[in-house]
Amino acid sequence: MPKLSSIIDAQQFDHETLLRVLEIAKEMEEVKSENSLSGKIMTSLFYEPSTRTRLSFEAAMKRLGGEVISTENAKEFSSKAKGESLEDTIRVVSGYCDVIVLRYHKEGGAKRAQDYSSVPIINAGDGAGQHPTQALLDLYTIKKKFGDIRGLKIAMAGDLINGRTVRSLSYFLAKHFPDNEIFFISPSRVRMREDIKEYLDRYRMKWNEAENFDGLLSQLDIVYQTRVQKERFEDDQAVYEEVMAKSEELIIDRQKLEKMKEGAIIMHPLPRLFEIRYGVDKDPLAKYFEQARNGLYVRMALLKMVLADF
Ligand code: CP
């Protein structure tokens, strides 16, 4: 198994490495903390807001005995505000630390950073591109619930054209777990992009597309709900308003919950806006807060695999 270095996208993972991430994450969930990264420094460099990704990576590093340096709003508080390029920032910051966790507002940001970094880069979300570490924690959550990731009907719902988490999750499922079926549920303006559908076809993974959940809820094992990404519609307010109006149909409320099959789960990468009603949270089907907690264990596993010698 090659050593895990930078984590840029979902497609880079071979099956052995993916299974190892899930295995080490399970160990991390059991031990909760250890000292394997003592003396190592992680930089979190976030050009877009984050609660879960930044804080779980920082907590993960500290739980492994490492140190963290960070700028939480790099657009405003790094030299980006003075006009410095991503490439120059990365050249400099990589001289201060052992790994950089980067969230960038434009697709391809992590790849650009990797080309100029002397240390591994971990993609913590690049615009509407990918969010591979989120998809890994999604897979960990699915595996914990179902054991085998096989024979499942998985709906991905919401603003799919801009959703980087559903893109990364689709790549992982197609390459490693094609024996499942995906249902893309979204308003027509924000359908899943063609590149993902082509990738699913290449791995002969079954997929379907619809604009609502009609007739589907009773057969789904997983409803993976997502929010409308307001920040990606800055230049098109009319489309944003249309998508918001159509998204009302997709809201998971008590009525929809009652139509779901026994043993099914609801996931969401969070943050949640209105697309899952608060009244759903206490139902045993609601797994999104557990999913967010799993992020800590998966990110501990990833930091160990990138930084520790084993
Ligand atoms: N799921 C996720 O990426 O959340 P944050 O934006 O809070 O990091």
Side-chain angles (χ1 to χ4, degrees):
M1 185 174 69
K3 183 164 165 55
L4 191 55
S5 183
S6 287
I7 301 172
I8 305 300
D9 60 33
Q11 305 93 301
Q12 76 180 70
F13 280 78
D14 60 47
H15 199 63
E16 200 185 348
T17 307
L18 169 60
L19 295 184
R20 192 78 183 114
V21 173
L22 302 180
E23 202 177 282
I24 298 176
K26 189 162 181 290
E27 288 167 26
M28 293 301 100
E29 184 166 359
E30 279 154 22
V31 301
K32 301 283 192 285
S33 63
E34 58 174 47
N35 229 16
S36 54
L37 297 189
S38 171
K40 303 279 187 191
I41 297 176
M42 179 190 99
T43 298
S44 48
L45 188 57
F46 277 60
Y47 289 77
E48 279 191 333
S50 167
T51 297
R52 279 144 290 273
T53 312
R54 185 170 72 86
L55 295 180
S56 63
F57 260 117
E58 293 188 1
M61 191 63 184
K62 287 172 184 262
R63 281 178 179 271
L64 292 166
E67 303 282 337
V68 176
I69 55 175
S70 80
T71 171
E72 70 211 50
N73 179 357
K75 266 191 188 169
E76 205 176 324
F77 297 124
S78 76
S79 286
K80 160 88 176 156
K82 302 179 207 161
E84 186 170 63
S85 68
L86 174 66
E87 287 78 2
D88 281 1
T89 300
I90 293 293
R91 272 193 185 111
V92 172
V93 173
S94 65
Y96 302 154
C97 63
D98 300 287
V99 62
I100 297 174
V101 178
L102 172 70
R103 172 165 289 183
Y104 201 62
H105 48 292
K106 289 188 186 149
E107 208 165 324
K111 179 75 187 74
R112 275 171 58 198
Q114 184 191 25
D115 292 343
Y116 289 85
S117 182
S118 55
V119 299
I121 297 286
I122 300 181
N123 182 2
D126 60 330
Q130 284 213 39
H131 195 348
T133 71
Q134 173 70 43
L136 287 165
L137 75 88
D138 297 339
L139 290 174
Y140 183 71
T141 304
I142 295 170
K143 192 163 163 51
K144 245 169 95 172
K145 162 70 187 168
F146 294 99
D148 231 7
I149 308 180
R150 176 188 291 258
L152 301 174
K153 291 188 190 290
I154 305 168
M156 299 185 193
D159 174 8
L160 302 181
I161 200 167
N162 293 309
R164 57 194 173 200
T165 71
V166 285
R167 288 176 58 77
S168 288
L169 184 56
S170 298
Y171 278 124
F172 273 121
L173 287 170
K175 183 169 174 183
H176 302 279
F177 308 103
D179 191 12
N180 294 286
E181 189 170 354
I182 297 182
F183 296 78
F184 294 125
I185 316 285
S186 70
S188 59
R189 289 274 200 173
V190 288
R191 283 190 182 134
M192 181 53 87
R193 285 188 252 162
E194 291 305 310
D195 60 338
I196 294 290
K197 295 172 187 168
E198 283 161 17
Y199 194 84
L200 296 176
D201 287 343
R202 183 159 12 128
Y203 285 91
R204 299 183 195 288
M205 180 159 200
K206 277 199 211 159
W207 61 271
N208 314 267
E209 201 164 42
E211 289 186 30
N212 54 50
F213 288 109
D214 289 357
L216 286 175
L217 286 169
S218 62
Q219 37 168 323
L220 296 171
D221 298 287
I222 299 172
V223 172
Y224 188 106
Q225 181 67 287
T226 65
R227 74 182 167 96
V228 178
Q229 313 259 315
K230 184 177 184 186
E231 63 274 30
R232 313 272 177 240
F233 290 89
E234 276 168 3
D235 299 330
D236 213 333
Q237 193 60 22
V239 174
Y240 172 68
E241 279 163 20
E242 182 190 323
V243 170
M244 287 294 276
K246 298 251 184 202
S247 296
E248 298 271 321
E249 272 188 73
L250 305 186
I251 293 172
I252 303 292
D253 52 15
R254 297 272 352 152
Q255 269 182 320
K256 285 207 183 62
L257 201 61
E258 276 156 26
K259 291 185 185 155
M260 288 180 66
K261 79 182 212 191
E262 210 184 315
I265 61 170
I266 302 168
M267 298 175 69
H268 193 309
L270 304 177
R272 168 251 310 262
L273 303 178
F274 57 86
E275 61 280 351
I276 301 177
R277 295 283 189 227
Y278 286 97
V280 171
D281 296 355
K282 285 204 167 70
D283 196 280
L285 274 71
K287 291 290 179 213
Y288 27 94
F289 292 112
E290 182 185 334
Q291 182 186 352
R293 194 165 57 248
N294 288 337
L296 174 65
Y297 313 127
V298 168
R299 288 169 175 138
M300 285 173 78
L302 293 170
L303 288 171
K304 257 187 90 143
M305 289 174 76
V306 169
L307 291 176
D309 296 321
F310 68 99

